[in-house]
Amino acid sequence: MRRLFALATVVALSACGAPATDDGTTLVVKTFSQFGYEDLYREYEASHPGVKIKEENIGKLGDYTPKLQQWMQTGKGAGDVVALEEGILVQFMAKPDQFVDLREHGAASLEPNFLPWKWKQAVSGDGKIVGLGTDVGAQGMCYRKDLFAAAGLPADRSDVGALWPTWDAYIEVGKSFKGAKFFDSAGGVFQNVLMQQGDHTYYDTSNKLVIDSNPGVREAWDTTIRMVEAGLSANVDQWSPQWNAGFKNGAFATIPCPSWMLGTIEKQAGPELKGKWDVTRVPGDGAVRGGSFLAVPKQSQHQKEAAELAKFLTSARGQTAAFKSRNNFPSSPQAIDDPVVREFTNPYFGDAPVGKIFGESVKALKPVYLGPDNIAINDRVVNALTAVEQKKLTADEAWSKAVADAQRLVK
Amino acid sequence: MMVRLTLAVAIALSAFPLYWLFVVATRANDVVGDWPPPLLPGPNLWDNVGRLFDAEQANFLLGMGNSALSSAVVTVSVVFFSSLAGFAFAKLRFRGRNALLLVILGTMMIPVQMGIIPLYLIMVELGWQNRLEAIIVPSLVSAFGVFLMRQYAEKAVPDELIEAARVDGCSTFRIYWTVVLPALRPGAAVLGLFTFMGTWNEFLWPLAVLEADNPTVQFSLSQLSTTYYTDYTLMFAGALVSTVPLLVVFVLFGRQIIGGIMEGAIKA
Amino acid sequence: MKTFSERFSPYLFVAPFFVIFAVFGLFPLVYTAWVSVHEWDIAGQGGFVGLDNYVMLFSDPDFWNATCNTIGMLVLATVPQLFCALVLASLLNQKLRGLTFLRMGVLLPIVTSVAAVGIVFSQIFDRDAGMANGLLGLAGFAPIDWHADKWSSWTAIATMVNWRWTGYNALIYLAAMQAVPRDLYEAATVDGASKVRQFFSITVPNIRPAILFTVIMSTIAGMQLFTEPLIFGQGGFAISGGSLRQFQTLSMFMFEKAFRDFDYGYGSAVAWLIFLMITLLAVVNFLITRRSR
């Protein structure tokens, strides 16, 4: 009972009153998922007396997005530095006025610190710098070494990578593969293929919807459909329990994996599969999926200090530290070439040189322009693919539906 | 016999999901996806619960405390105000009674998810972001509660009792307190239980107005599910532990609720 | 002549509700109406567009799909639920050994944390390793992809809703039944009326207010169904309610528009239409129950 009372007191105390503000500045950093900045905050506080940093994190991106919108709509609550996932960033790029133009805080000279396409994503049409890149979702292909060996295929990562210079080759390997489905779900693979199809996807660079006229989108769609029709997909929704279980029970033999997914695989597949999962290059010329930016909202009371902090966190050194902490793959070429990153190996994946594999994937990539409703449209295309996997629509019906949905959305 | 059998089946169906939740929470992660699924408890409960309370970023204990506090306050307030207003609507005559009741009914039809942004605006004005007041104060009254209490008071409070009390010279509030409230006890107990559960299970609004360092229990669980989504038994343990206080409330007050219902019967 | 206390107490008694509602309920409603006649995207308010959002909504197939789904699931969840609750309550409304235990037993689902409901039922209706398919398999049926079709997803979701709320309604009925005077039953027994007969001619008419209450409440709750289908639909785009929106409800559609597609004006128009539809349904409900009296 006394325990309970003590707990109630703690609750009452914590409920009553924001942290006391002394004469120093408290900068609030809003993040989702894991950015791995804890050590960097401490370091920054030490070198900037009077500055305190408080991170307010929301685990799920899906929970973070409505909150972000609510902060922006009401002009309150966004804190001083706010993390923007790339799909959300593009929503803001057409109307970047809610964020501080970081040119005012000397960010223009930082361009060489970022991969060119990453840099451009956060620069508005009239040259405003809206955000600074953090990580990129560098892609590799994770695969089950033991299942490959059992299927009579080479299992060594460089031999496996050589099996699929292209997605067509990947499909051929999949067709002859026995013992498990070849990959987890069409949606994830589609995204990978799509991001390798030239410099734009659903929108052209003047924000016109070109989903039905851009041959790249159709190409990625057709490629994915061929995989579905060849029966390669296990049709398990990403992040669902059966997807989690699939890593362990061998429901699928390969999965395109961004760098941050390695931790997931390790945890889910468990220690008994150590060394059975491995990682190699992805078919085609590199790929990314996701990645984020830091921006300073206009509503911040400490714009100057916040901009300095954002610059520090996205510097090559900051990105390297975040990579070490959470495997968020850097968007800074200097960080990518940093020996800490380049020589990083992952013991769970048979000491795979993941720093090198992902680095090559990222550097090979050409910039892709996304456009305002990119995420919403992609959601609809992925849903259409799922309907094909569920055999609820033919490929043609699904394609027409995806295009019609996208057009209705943009109208 | 049929009665007993039917009830036994109903109880088995009611209890099975909870029982199974408990079973998985006592197992290790390697049972995930097994068929047939595990049906007997294993030895890992304390290990799973320990990891739950140690989980960074989830602030699980604080979330439980916050939810307990806000649910308790909201429950007391809703029961009090609802029985008061329900009594007025059921038993007192006053101009505009039906119109006001219709307004209350109408407020129940507002889709809750949409109110988030305007409500947040109000909280910004009041300075209640990331504070429990934001969770508690808007919920202090409930249209559902008023309506439930009105429906219940119509049947359960005999007009003669009120008249008798009036003849004795009681003020209207005195009548409420000494005559009506005791007669409303079973209904009030039901309302109290529902209100507590409702507040405890609230998710969207706490997520909108609170931050992870001062969460409610459902918020904590959501945080848990991203950071530890691969840790299946941890999630089960979290879901189980988040149900325990509800069960405790239920076991402590469930007898009273049911006793209250019985008592109401005798009086009526 | 009424006393001061008699005259003003009623207003004082209902005032707290209206004061709090005016601040935390009315403002959001009006605000939402205001937003719904504007272009309103992630960057905030655009221009006034009149009823454009509403006009667009009427030609939006996804909106009508969500309406149809919501009403379908409402029927599938409410009718069996209220019937079972009525039966359960009448079974519990008699002298049995261990009555308290039995009564508490059927109420267990109400006291389950919503997180627990989600996690357990998503396992039960899992396509590859779920219990529902496991049992079907034992009976010799092919496994069902619960998410893929309307009928299967609606069944799964209605099961969740029914599981959670049957005991709740049974409790309301039970509380009302306890207020029915015993002598009515005694007189009926003397007249030789059977238990079933007593149930329909005494219990049901006497708890009519409670039945009306639960019908209206279930309708309102059903029209705003949100948590269960969202829990059921896993993965990143769960808010769309399945690959072909098989189980997207109106509330989910509204949330998707406002918070996923960032079209806050459009989402607000959806919110207002939901509000009007529920009101309409409640009035119809009310009139039907009135008339049949």
Side-chain angles (χ1 to χ4, degrees), chain C residues 178-233:
Chain C
Q178 294 287 345
V180 178
R182 289 277 151 193
D183 40 1
L184 285 182
Y185 292 103
E186 281 152 21
T189 311
V190 171
D191 291 347
S194 70
K195 287 268 174 205
V196 175
R197 177 89 213 244
Q198 287 180 26
F199 175 74
F200 283 108
S201 55
I202 300 176
T203 311
V204 171
N206 271 287
I207 63 165
R208 183 181 281 277
I211 295 178
L212 174 64
F213 177 79
T214 53
V215 168
I216 292 184
M217 290 314 299
S218 303
T219 308
I220 293 174
M223 287 300 289
Q224 301 191 29
L225 189 65
F226 184 76
T227 310
E228 280 90 353
L230 196 59
I231 287 170
F232 175 71

Side-chain angles (χ1 to χ4, degrees), chain C residues 6-282:
Chain C
E6 275 179 74
R7 188 181 294 269
F8 291 101
S9 299
Y11 296 105
L12 220 55
F13 288 5
V14 302
F17 177 85
F18 286 98
V19 171
I20 295 198
F21 173 73
V23 179
F24 299 105
L26 200 59
F27 173 74
L29 193 64
V30 174
Y31 185 88
T32 305
W34 166 258
V35 173
S36 76
V37 292
H38 287 81
E39 172 99 45
W40 206 299
D41 66 9
I42 193 167
Q45 185 182 356
F48 177 79
V49 295
L51 294 178
D52 280 10
N53 282 328
Y54 291 90
V55 172
M56 215 151 81
L57 202 48
F58 278 108
S59 61
D60 187 337
D62 292 346
F63 171 71
W64 294 113
N65 171 64
T67 308
C68 163
N69 290 349
T70 307
I71 293 174
M73 280 186 259
L74 172 75
V75 172
L76 213 54
T78 307
V79 175
Q81 181 189 152
L82 294 185
F83 179 75
C84 290
L86 211 49
V87 171
L88 261 182
S90 64
L91 291 183
L92 290 169
N93 187 29
Q94 47 187 307
K95 293 196 172 61
L96 285 172
R97 242 184 319 134
L99 198 57
T100 311
F101 170 77
L102 289 174
R103 285 178 178 169
M104 288 175 76
V106 296
L107 292 179
L108 269 177
I110 310 176
V111 292
T112 306
S113 158
V114 68
V117 177
I119 207 164
V120 171
F121 278 89
S122 56
Q123 201 292 330
I124 290 178
F125 291 111
D126 187 296
R127 183 193 62 201
D128 296 336
M131 277 185 218
N133 276 342
L135 293 176
L136 285 176
L138 290 181
F141 293 100
I144 292 169
D145 188 349
W146 295 94
H147 291 82
D149 285 292
K150 285 208 177 207
W151 71 267
S152 57
S153 54
W154 291 8
T155 307
I157 291 162
T159 306
M160 288 167 80
V161 176
N162 288 332
W163 181 77
R164 253 184 105 190
W165 300 110
T166 302
Y168 166 107
N169 287 305
L171 185 56
I172 289 183
Y173 291 154
L174 184 58
M177 283 175 188
Q178 294 287 345
V180 178
R182 289 277 151 193
D183 40 1
L184 285 182
Y185 292 103
E186 281 152 21
T189 311
V190 171
D191 291 347
S194 70
K195 287 268 174 205
V196 175
R197 177 89 213 244
Q198 287 180 26
F199 175 74
F200 283 108
S201 55
I202 300 176
T203 311
V204 171
N206 271 287
I207 63 165
R208 183 181 281 277
I211 295 178
L212 174 64
F213 177 79
T214 53
V215 168
I216 292 184
M217 290 314 299
S218 303
T219 308
I220 293 174
M223 287 300 289
Q224 301 191 29
L225 189 65
F226 184 76
T227 310
E228 280 90 353
L230 196 59
I231 287 170
F232 175 71
Q234 294 154 341
F237 196 28
I239 196 77
S240 73
S243 60
L244 294 170
R245 301 175 185 273
Q246 293 94 328
F247 50 96
Q248 185 181 45
T249 64
L250 280 167
S251 290
M252 291 163 82
F253 178 65
M254 170 178 73
F255 199 84
E256 183 196 353
K257 284 295 156 195
F259 291 106
R260 178 105 188 180
D261 296 346
F262 301 113
D263 200 340
Y264 188 35
Y266 199 62
S268 297
V270 182
W272 258 87
L273 274 186
I274 298 179
F275 174 56
L276 294 178
M277 278 156 105
I278 299 176
T279 311
L280 193 73
L281 259 178

Side-chain angles (χ1 to χ4, degrees), chain A residues 24-329:
Chain A
T25 308
T26 299
L27 296 176
V28 176
V29 183
K30 299 281 191 174
T31 61
F32 56 89
S33 190
Q34 305 194 340
F35 276 70
Y37 285 161
E38 292 75 13
D39 294 339
L40 289 169
Y41 295 147
R42 228 143 292 144
E43 184 186 332
Y44 193 81
E45 283 172 344
S47 60
H48 293 72
V51 174
K52 285 250 170 301
I53 300 170
K54 183 181 180 227
E55 177 176 298
E56 294 185 335
N57 172 272
I58 296 294
K60 277 185 201 154
L61 181 59
D63 290 344
Y64 177 79
T65 315
K67 279 181 83 95
L68 175 70
Q69 191 191 4
Q70 147 203 326
W71 301 327
M72 289 306 165
Q73 297 277 355
T74 59
K76 289 277 161 48
D80 301 294
V81 175
V82 49
L84 301 175
E85 203 269 339
E86 75 176 6
I88 297 166
L89 176 88
V90 295
Q91 298 258 348
F92 283 113
M93 288 315 293
K95 294 173 187 165
D97 294 337
Q98 296 192 320
F99 297 99
V100 172
D101 178 2
L102 294 171
R103 281 182 303 187
E104 294 162 18
H105 301 283
S109 62
L110 298 177
E111 185 166 352
N113 293 354
F114 296 88
L115 292 167
W117 56 270
K118 184 81 179 174
W119 175 260
K120 275 192 206 128
Q121 275 187 307
V123 176
S124 72
D126 52 352
K128 291 196 182 83
I129 299 172
V130 178
L132 297 172
T134 58
D135 62 315
V136 291
Q139 293 277 27
M141 183 67 82
C142 290
Y143 69 101
R144 278 283 293 270
K145 205 189 241 175
D146 54 333
L147 296 183
F148 268 61
L153 290 165
D156 182 73
R157 70 181 69 89
S158 54
D159 298 339
V160 172
L163 286 176
W164 49 60
T166 63
W167 286 103
D168 285 334
Y170 176 80
I171 296 175
E172 289 312 312
V173 178
K175 278 181 183 164
S176 63
F177 191 85
K178 290 194 180 54
K181 292 291 183 185
F182 202 47
F183 59 84
D184 60 330
S185 69
V189 177
F190 171 77
Q191 189 68 1
N192 245 343
V193 184
L194 181 65
M195 292 302 280
Q196 298 170 335
Q197 306 294 323
D199 63 351
H200 65 288
T201 61
Y202 307 121
Y203 286 94
D204 66 14
T205 46
S206 55
N207 284 346
K208 188 168 156 291
L209 185 71
V210 293
I211 179 170
D212 56 340
S213 58
N214 179 358
V217 177
R218 187 66 208 228
E219 170 71 29
W221 171 274
D222 288 340
T223 305
T224 313
I225 290 291
R226 279 206 301 282
M227 297 184 200
V228 173
E229 283 172 350
L232 304 190
S233 169
N235 183 18
V236 287
D237 275 356
Q238 294 209 336
W239 313 113
S240 66
Q242 62 262 45
W243 186 71
N244 286 339
F247 289 111
K248 192 184 67 179
N249 64 24
F252 40 86
T254 72
I255 177 172
C257 50
S259 46
W260 44 261
M261 198 186 277
L262 299 188
T264 305
I265 298 176
E266 174 174 350
K267 222 169 186 176
Q268 191 54 46
E272 61 270 33
L273 289 188
K274 183 171 189 230
K276 303 234 163 104
W277 276 99
D278 208 323
V279 53
T280 186
R281 61 179 292 282
V282 77
D285 305 323
V288 292
R289 185 168 133 213
S292 297
F293 297 81
L294 295 184
V296 178
K298 279 254 173 73
Q299 50 182 280
S300 162
Q301 303 295 314
H302 313 287
Q303 297 182 3
K304 185 171 166 302
E305 294 84 352
E308 288 309 315
L309 176 61
K311 279 154 69 177
F312 169 75
L313 294 172
T314 56
S315 67
R317 222 166 57 74
Q319 294 193 20
T320 308
F323 175 78
K324 273 202 296 193
S325 163
R326 296 288 179 201
N327 278 0
N328 292 336
F329 202 80

Side-chain angles (χ1 to χ4, degrees), chain B:
Chain B
M1 198 56 224
M2 270 310 287
V3 172
R4 296 224 144 228
L5 198 67
T6 317
L7 283 174
V9 171
I11 288 173
L13 288 177
S14 296
F16 177 74
L18 269 180
Y19 171 73
W20 194 69
L21 182 72
F22 171 74
V23 169
V24 178
T26 61
R27 294 300 198 103
N29 270 320
D30 57 7
V31 299
V32 177
D34 281 2
W35 181 262
L39 292 173
L40 291 173
N44 296 72
L45 180 63
W46 299 117
D47 175 50
N48 291 333
V49 172
R51 280 184 301 140
L52 175 68
F53 286 114
D54 290 343
E56 269 178 74
Q57 297 182 322
N59 287 318
F60 198 76
L61 207 55
L62 180 63
M64 295 269 285
N66 276 340
S67 282
L69 185 69
S70 44
S71 301
V73 173
V74 167
T75 301
V76 171
S77 164
V78 163
V79 167
F80 176 69
F81 287 127
S82 300
S83 54
L84 201 60
F87 159 56
F89 279 121
K91 294 291 169 183
L92 304 179
R93 314 216 157 276
F94 55 100
R95 198 190 289 258
R97 182 172 81 160
N98 289 336
L100 289 178
L101 187 63
L102 269 181
V103 171
I104 292 192
L105 260 176
T107 64
M108 275 192 282
M109 295 153 200
I110 303 171
V112 280
Q113 295 87 6
M114 208 58 217
I116 288 175
I117 285 181
L119 256 188
Y120 184 76
L121 269 174
I122 299 176
M123 296 308 153
V124 168
E125 284 308 310
L126 294 170
W128 286 354
Q129 294 137 287
N130 204 14
R131 294 168 62 127
L132 281 191
E133 288 95 322
I135 305 299
I136 294 172
V137 177
S139 308
L140 286 179
V141 297
S142 135
F144 164 77
V146 175
F147 193 41
L148 177 71
M149 286 293 96
R150 179 196 169 267
Q151 297 300 91
Y152 194 73
E154 281 212 312
K155 270 261 168 272
V157 185
D159 289 329
E160 306 83 56
L161 262 184
I162 298 175
E163 280 315 308
R166 241 192 239 300
V167 171
D168 287 349
C170 287
S171 72
T172 314
F173 187 79
R174 247 331 263 277
I175 295 175
Y176 161 77
W177 193 253
T178 55
V179 177
V180 176
L181 199 53
L184 286 181
R185 257 184 46 198
V190 174
L191 175 62
L193 182 69
F194 292 168
T195 307
F196 195 93
M197 304 309 152
T199 315
W200 186 269
N201 282 330
E202 187 67 49
F203 175 65
L204 276 181
W205 174 237
L207 177 73
V209 74
L210 299 181
E211 296 300 334
D213 60 354
N214 189 29
T216 60
V217 68
Q218 303 298 337
F219 193 164
S220 290
L221 283 169
S222 167
Q223 287 287 87
L224 208 61
S225 75
T226 40
T227 322
Y228 298 89
Y229 46 79
T230 53
D231 195 340
Y232 213 51
T233 52
L234 182 71
M235 290 304 303
F236 270 77
L240 179 71
V241 173
S242 76
T243 298
V244 167
L246 299 181
L247 285 174
V248 169
V249 168
F250 187 55
V251 168
L252 285 181
F253 298 105
R255 279 177 169 281
Q256 289 201 3
I257 288 167
I258 286 160
I261 292 172
M262 297 302 287
E263 194 183 305
I266 294 158
K267 280 205 172 147

Side-chain angles (χ1 to χ4, degrees), chain A residues 328-344:
Chain A
N328 292 336
F329 202 80
S331 64
S332 154
Q334 291 85 338
I336 295 171
D337 288 335
D338 187 312
V340 172
V341 176
R342 207 180 51 216
E343 288 160 19
F344 186 82

